[in-house]
Amino acid sequence: MTTHFLTVPGLASSGPQHWQTIWENQYPHLFSRVQQENWDWPVKDDWVGQLQKQISELSVPTVLVGHSLGCITIAHWAQEHFSEYIKGALLVAPADAEQSKRLNFVVGFKPIPVRALPFKSIVVASTNDIYASILRSKVFAANWGSDFVNIGKKGHINAVSGLEDWQEGKIILEELGSLELVQNEATKS
């Protein structure tokens, strides 16, 4: 059975130049997005509740693809809920809701969960992310039982980072699902 992917964006969602949106547009039959009612004033209970609502509607193996505060939402979801359909999570640039002064307005996201996730996961972090230090990202990975990938100086690993289709991210994602995005791209050329 084909693995599907549920993207879980962070603050302000992911715009048209963000790799999450690009992947969704490239593979609309495989990717869908969690839809939050308020992307600009995140409230943990609302965000986790919406994630749970969409996960409860799943009927196929699914990998969560989180970015920024979406990663923290996934960690909170995993503390409160479970689904046999969730097979893994790609957690890209988890935002440090505890220590980042830029996130002092988000509600309920701290403390950040420290229990291991009940599925395979990979944390991907950058050495110059303004929302979380590389050391904090390593702590998140260790706490969650996640593999850890340091991709160097890529900022917040978002549209501003200029990653566009982010091929490196697709290769990392392939470790979590029965997917061949990069190979499929090569055969299209």
Side-chain angles (χ1 to χ4, degrees):
M1 183 175 281
T2 303
T3 301
H4 285 244
F5 301 86
L6 180 60
T7 56
V8 186
L11 181 64
S13 192
S14 296
Q17 302 306 312
H18 194 290
W19 54 268
Q20 282 183 318
T21 305
I22 291 169
W23 293 358
E24 290 167 0
N25 290 335
Q26 286 176 336
Y27 310 101
H29 60 293
L30 296 177
F31 282 80
S32 58
R33 176 179 290 201
V34 170
Q35 296 298 328
Q36 299 294 350
E37 286 192 32
N38 192 334
W39 288 108
D40 299 319
W41 295 100
V43 175
K44 190 264 298 180
D45 289 344
D46 295 344
W47 279 34
V48 170
Q50 184 60 30
L51 178 56
Q52 169 57 17
K53 178 181 180 295
Q54 287 186 239
I55 288 174
S56 72
E57 297 168 357
L58 296 176
S59 60
V60 296
T62 301
V63 171
L64 302 172
V65 181
H67 179 258
S68 190
L69 201 57
C71 300
I72 308 306
T73 302
I74 291 168
H76 279 289
W77 175 85
Q79 305 304 302
E80 302 170 21
H81 303 281
F82 175 80
S83 170
E84 64 181 314
Y85 293 110
I86 299 302
K87 301 304 181 190
L90 179 65
L91 305 165
V92 179
D96 193 344
E98 292 175 343
Q99 295 186 5
S100 174
K101 292 182 176 137
R102 298 171 186 270
L103 297 173
N104 61 357
F105 63 93
V106 302
V107 177
F109 287 88
K110 55 186 177 181
I112 294 172
V114 296
R115 271 199 341 237
L117 301 175
F119 40 76
K120 183 173 173 53
S121 59
I122 301 171
V123 169
V124 179
S126 162
T127 57
N128 63 338
D129 187 341
I130 61 172
Y131 290 100
S133 72
I134 195 73
L135 294 177
R136 284 288 287 170
S137 296
K138 284 181 182 177
V139 168
F140 299 149
N143 288 342
W144 299 336
S146 306
D147 292 342
F148 181 76
V149 178
N150 175 345
I151 63 167
K153 291 185 175 184
K154 299 281 200 255
H156 193 46
I157 316 176
N158 58 6
V160 176
S161 301
L163 301 172
E164 298 174 1
D165 185 26
W166 195 33
Q167 291 293 307
E168 181 182 12
K170 285 182 178 178
I171 292 167
I172 297 167
L173 182 61
E174 287 176 1
E175 295 180 32
L176 294 169
S178 56
L179 182 69
E180 297 174 352
L181 295 177
V182 176
Q183 290 84 352
N184 288 346
E185 286 301 304
T187 59
K188 287 181 185 177
S189 303

